[in-house]
Amino acid sequence: MQLTGTTLALIQLGAVFFGLGVLGRVAARVGLSPIPLYLLGGLVFGTGGLIELHEVEPFIHLASEIGVVLLLLLLGLEYTAGELVTGMRKSWPAGLLDVVLNATPGVIVALMLGLGPTGAIAMAGVTYISSSGIVAKVLNDLGRLGNRETPVVLSILVFEDLAMAVYLPVLTAVLAGVSFVTGLTTVSIALTAVTVVLVVALRYGRYVSAIVASEDREIFLLKLVGSALLVAGLASAVQVSAAVGAFLLGIAISDSTAHDATKILEPLRDLFAAMFFVLFGLSTDPRSIPPVLGWAILLAVVTTATKIATGWWAAQRAGASRLGQARAGTALVARGEFSIVIAGLAVAAGAVPAEFAALATTYVLLMAVIGPIAARIVEPVMRLLDGKQPVRVDSGAE
């Protein structure tokens, strides 16, 4: 048997895809997000892991970049510009509380570990933002989409997404080590782009949708992916995050075109996003995890409590019951894809110590598991605390 470079790459890539499929099935069987298992898969096959897959690293690196673009594009497709503006007006007090309570622990731990100001800014984003993908899946699985507290949860997620549109350009400028003036220029460009896109989406969204729309699925897919990569690349060229560019494009596409785009892009997003999580695992040496494990557990405990407090307070303001307040709090606990996006940007820029990747990976592994479990057990726990008999609850309806 003769194994050329291409042959070996195909074998390794096939093994990676098949292995991810098996891990995804295992995650579905136990009712958890596959993200922690994808990260573990990357740890096994990366530097310092059991088997090192060097032949497929260039492909996985490019695929992971596309995965981030598609993740943010799909996120933008979920909202219209009007919904974003309305959500911001309603949720800004809870959104600000969310920032203070959940970004602060990341900053403190990063500084205590000596990761420096850059590591602190990046870790603030890692601990701040909930995983909208995991949260949406948990709400759907538990039948809570129609609950009174659910709009509160969604409005906080919308606030986080908008905060991310501002945060990512700032982080990108900090990671690049640019001057204060250059950084300020970058942020100004990003804010201007956000404003322009919201105005265009509100007034002329139907024209943007018409440009990418097509009755032919192949042409529609090519237009969507092409426009997303084009916008992401142009955004990077003016030092705005490629992910933010894709997010803004998603907001500008609306109505039935956005619905059709979501359906046609979801399988591609899942495929390439899996590559992103694997790449992050590949870039983390498993031997660097034990020294930061205690810190990751401490962060997980603290930020679980702070997320619950955020959701509880926001749902209380909205008039939800005590049980609804608890459900809102636990629904927000999970961190996942966007925490890894932030950590991935920091690691790729080479602006943070190796401990940062290990801490971020371990933290997200813990939170992606704790979040869904907390959301599932909150109802029996609250009934016990209220002195009632626990009952099996398939629906979250009050």
Side-chain angles (χ1 to χ4, degrees):
M1 182 183 294
Q2 185 174 3
L3 295 178
T4 63
T6 302
T7 304
L8 195 57
L10 287 174
I11 292 174
Q12 290 185 0
L13 192 58
V16 169
F17 279 137
F18 186 79
L20 291 179
V22 172
L23 291 175
R25 181 164 185 174
V26 170
R29 283 287 181 91
V30 296
L32 291 176
S33 162
I35 294 174
L37 296 184
Y38 293 163
L39 288 171
L40 286 175
L43 288 173
V44 170
F45 295 111
T47 304
L50 297 177
I51 305 171
E52 297 187 16
L53 303 179
H54 295 298
E55 298 295 332
V56 293
E57 275 201 23
F59 172 81
I60 292 180
H61 188 273
L62 180 59
S64 71
E65 295 285 342
I66 297 173
V68 175
V69 168
L70 293 180
L71 270 172
L72 272 292
L73 175 64
L74 266 290
L75 183 65
L77 287 170
E78 292 180 14
Y79 306 106
T80 66
E83 288 171 341
L84 284 177
V85 173
T86 304
M88 280 290 288
R89 286 175 180 165
K90 289 183 177 178
S91 64
W92 69 267
L96 290 180
L97 180 70
D98 188 18
V99 172
V100 173
L101 289 185
N102 294 289
T104 304
V107 172
I108 293 173
V109 167
L111 292 177
M112 291 179 71
L113 280 173
L115 301 180
T118 303
I121 293 172
M123 190 53 71
V126 171
T127 58
Y128 161 58
I129 191 161
S130 300
S131 167
S132 56
I134 297 177
V135 173
K137 187 174 189 305
V138 167
L139 290 176
N140 184 61
D141 290 349
L142 299 180
R144 296 178 182 171
L145 291 176
N147 279 22
R148 184 169 185 175
E149 77 276 3
T150 299
V152 175
V153 174
L154 296 179
S155 66
I156 292 176
L157 293 178
V158 169
F159 187 95
E160 289 184 352
D161 296 339
L162 280 180
M164 197 172 179
V166 177
Y167 167 81
L168 282 178
V170 175
L171 177 66
T172 305
V174 171
L175 293 175
V178 298
S179 66
F180 176 77
V181 174
T182 306
L184 197 61
T185 304
T186 301
V187 174
S188 300
I189 292 172
L191 292 177
T192 303
V194 171
T195 305
V196 168
V197 168
L198 288 177
V199 171
V200 169
L202 279 169
R203 297 190 175 183
Y204 310 107
R206 61 184 183 280
Y207 298 113
V208 178
S209 300
I211 291 172
V212 297
S214 174
E215 293 183 358
D216 187 295
R217 286 174 58 86
E218 181 180 343
I219 296 173
F220 188 33
L221 181 61
L222 289 171
K223 280 185 174 181
L224 275 173
V225 175
S227 58
L229 297 180
L230 189 61
V231 170
L234 291 174
S236 292
V238 294
Q239 295 191 348
V240 175
S241 166
V244 172
F247 177 68
L248 296 177
L249 175 65
I251 292 173
I253 299 172
S254 58
D255 299 329
S256 61
T257 306
H259 177 72
D260 295 340
T262 300
K263 287 176 60 179
I264 201 171
L265 283 177
E266 275 183 342
L268 273 181
R269 176 203 58 183
D270 295 342
L271 178 66
F272 285 103
M275 292 291 101
F276 173 77
F277 298 123
V278 169
L279 179 68
F280 194 77
L282 286 173
S283 61
T284 305
D285 190 335
R287 292 168 295 189
S288 64
I289 288 180
V292 300
L293 182 59
W295 288 103
I297 293 174
L298 176 64
L299 263 183
V301 171
V302 172
T303 56
T304 295
T306 52
K307 273 293 181 187
I308 291 176
T310 302
W312 192 298
W313 183 79
Q316 190 177 49
R317 289 183 72 243
S321 67
R322 180 177 157 84
L323 184 57
Q325 294 164 25
R327 285 196 297 249
T330 52
L332 291 166
V333 167
R335 271 73 155 187
E337 63 274 24
F338 297 115
S339 296
I340 293 297
V341 167
I342 294 166
L345 290 173
V347 172
V352 289
E355 291 84 0
F356 177 88
L359 178 62
T361 301
T362 312
Y363 173 74
V364 174
L365 279 171
L366 291 171
M367 299 306 289
V369 174
I370 292 172
I373 292 175
R376 287 176 187 276
I377 67 171
V378 65
E379 291 192 9
V381 169
M382 288 301 295
R383 292 182 189 281
L384 280 175
L385 291 175
D386 291 340
K388 300 176 182 176
Q389 287 294 320
V391 295
R392 179 183 175 85
V393 179
D394 294 325
S395 168
E398 292 181 47

